[in-house]
Amino acid sequence: MTEDKKGILLETGTGELEILEFTVKNTHYAINVIKIKEILEIDYVTKVPKSNPALIGLTMVRGDVIPLIDMNYVLEKEFTPINGKIKTLLCEFNQLKVAFCVDEVHGIHRIGWNLIKKPDMVIENSDSLIIGNITLGERIIMLLDFEKIVTDIAPSTGINESRIGNITKKDRMGIKLILSDDSPMIRQLLDDVLTKAGFGNMKFFNDGQQAWHYLDNLVEEKGERFIEDVQILITDIEMPQMDGHTLTRKIKEHKILRTLPVIIFSSLITDDLKHKGESVKADAQMSKPEVENLVGVIDKLIEKINNVK
């Protein structure tokens, strides 16, 4: 079975998303539909010797060799038996194509980002795979961090020391940045990378709603002089309360804030999805593993700002 999901997504920046609900061991989980290329039933797997136990093996999809990750093992530490067809979500993010084996697929739901609640402090920690919780009727559906799942299995696919080793440091203390990302790990990595590059005036926010409140209050206080406090916004896309596309659209439609440069820094920046950031008038878009190029993009935008003055 193949299910093409093109064309079902909403207009970008509306504050809504579509999630695919699925189950593993009778527990309900979700993934942002924007990450899914197809839903497949796989019946051909090549095992990889001495690989991570969460990797079932490799499969072929239209000529591409795709790693197949066992969500039963990731979530329950139990192996999925390989006997017949395997229900699979073929995804693309962080410039990778990866397939995830699940038990059942239960359909697509359209919801607002504001309905995704941040994980309770009791379960939120650096090892958590939960981005947020969604209540649908009597069900609690957990939105999972698929990027972390892949990075935990193959650390080289994410932001790592080898990517930031060649960043040149110079005095960038005068550049004022605000950054919005719901992942504590990514916020810390960005802080480390940008500090190493010479930045020191940074404000971090856990989601787009917090960043928007800050900017809105800043304009209330200073009007067009808001630029004294912030020169560039760097934002993720997937965040509870307000996503990065909606945040960018609100900024670019604002009569004063529209001059603020916005960099979308997300695992969802692919050739197929870049048009979404373009439609909300983002000034730059980068895939999260490309952190080594982020400093150069900031420098170019600051140079452009200075040339306009």
Side-chain angles (χ1 to χ4, degrees):
M1 178 186 73
T2 300
E3 183 176 330
D4 192 339
K5 55 88 185 173
K6 287 185 178 179
I8 67 171
L9 291 177
L10 298 172
E11 181 183 349
T12 306
T14 62
E16 293 183 301
L17 77 157
E18 305 209 61
I19 59 166
L20 180 81
E21 180 185 1
F22 63 92
T23 50
V24 175
K25 293 296 181 187
N26 296 316
T27 301
H28 292 255
Y29 299 100
I31 180 173
N32 190 342
V33 171
I34 200 173
K35 295 179 180 176
I36 302 174
K37 295 185 73 67
E38 294 179 74
I39 301 170
L40 304 168
E41 289 188 345
I42 298 294
D43 57 6
Y44 175 81
V45 179
T46 299
K47 291 189 176 181
V48 180
K50 298 183 179 180
S51 59
N52 187 290
L55 181 68
I56 294 177
L58 303 175
T59 189
M60 289 281 289
V61 180
R62 296 183 185 83
D64 290 332
V65 178
I66 307 291
L68 180 59
I69 293 175
D70 188 349
M71 292 299 289
N72 270 291
Y73 188 84
V74 169
L75 298 168
E76 302 289 342
K77 293 296 181 282
E78 297 179 14
F79 292 103
T80 294
I82 310 301
N83 49 11
K85 293 183 182 295
I86 306 170
K87 182 75 73 176
T88 302
L89 310 179
L90 176 61
C91 300
E92 183 175 12
F93 51 81
N94 275 350
Q95 300 179 336
L96 296 169
K97 290 180 181 178
V98 187
F100 298 90
C101 166
V102 302
D103 291 347
E104 296 292 339
V105 171
H106 296 278
I108 291 172
H109 310 286
R110 184 171 295 179
I111 62 171
W113 280 102
N114 61 330
L115 296 180
I116 301 176
K117 305 304 179 185
K118 294 178 182 178
D120 189 278
M121 291 180 65
V122 173
I123 61 173
E124 185 178 30
N125 58 65
S126 60
D127 294 324
S128 177
L129 298 175
I130 302 171
I131 295 174
N133 297 313
I134 305 157
T135 303
L136 287 179
E138 298 297 317
R139 303 191 308 284
I140 296 174
I141 302 174
M142 290 175 279
L143 186 65
L144 294 179
D145 187 344
F146 281 82
E147 290 87 343
K148 187 176 189 310
I149 291 169
V150 174
T151 302
D152 286 349
I153 295 169
S156 63
T157 62
I159 299 172
N160 54 69
E161 287 297 323
S162 65
R163 288 185 176 272
I164 66 178
N166 298 320
I167 292 175
T168 302
K169 182 171 184 176
K170 68 178 185 180
D171 183 8
R172 296 180 171 93
M173 292 293 291
I175 300 172
K176 298 169 182 176
L177 306 175
I178 61 173
L179 304 97
S180 182
D181 197 297
D182 65 318
S183 167
M185 179 187 71
I186 296 296
R187 291 197 302 272
Q188 186 60 58
L189 281 167
L190 285 172
D191 194 10
D192 293 345
V193 168
L194 295 172
T195 298
K196 180 176 180 179
F199 294 93
N201 201 325
M202 298 176 281
K203 285 185 171 64
F204 287 85
F205 297 94
N206 296 347
D207 59 55
Q209 188 69 53
Q210 290 182 6
W212 174 251
H213 281 323
Y214 170 78
L215 290 168
D216 195 36
N217 290 335
L218 192 59
V219 169
E220 231 4 81
E221 177 187 346
K222 290 194 166 185
E224 293 184 357
R225 289 172 41 242
F226 80 89
I227 201 73
E228 296 172 355
D229 291 73
V230 55
Q231 292 171 289
I232 289 178
L233 164 70
I234 301 169
T235 182
D236 190 17
I237 293 176
E238 284 192 296
M239 297 179 288
Q241 305 304 308
M242 183 185 293
D243 66 289
H245 282 144
T246 301
L247 175 61
T248 304
R249 180 183 58 78
K250 287 172 73 71
I251 289 168
K252 293 304 182 179
E253 290 180 353
H254 193 280
K255 62 181 180 180
I256 295 176
L257 286 171
R258 63 187 179 188
T259 60
L260 176 67
V262 177
I263 300 172
I264 295 180
F265 185 63
S266 168
S267 63
L268 298 179
I269 305 304
T270 65
D271 290 341
D272 289 341
L273 297 175
K274 270 190 174 181
H275 71 279
K276 292 183 174 294
E278 292 167 357
S279 72
V280 293
K281 297 182 169 53
D283 296 88
Q285 300 182 76
M286 300 183 64
S287 179
K288 268 185 178 169
E290 299 177 336
V291 68
E292 69 273 23
N293 299 324
L294 180 59
V295 173
V297 172
I298 295 171
D299 285 345
K300 287 180 181 178
L301 287 174
I302 291 296
E303 183 180 356
K304 185 177 178 181
I305 292 170
N306 292 335
N307 290 338
V308 170
K309 290 181 180 179

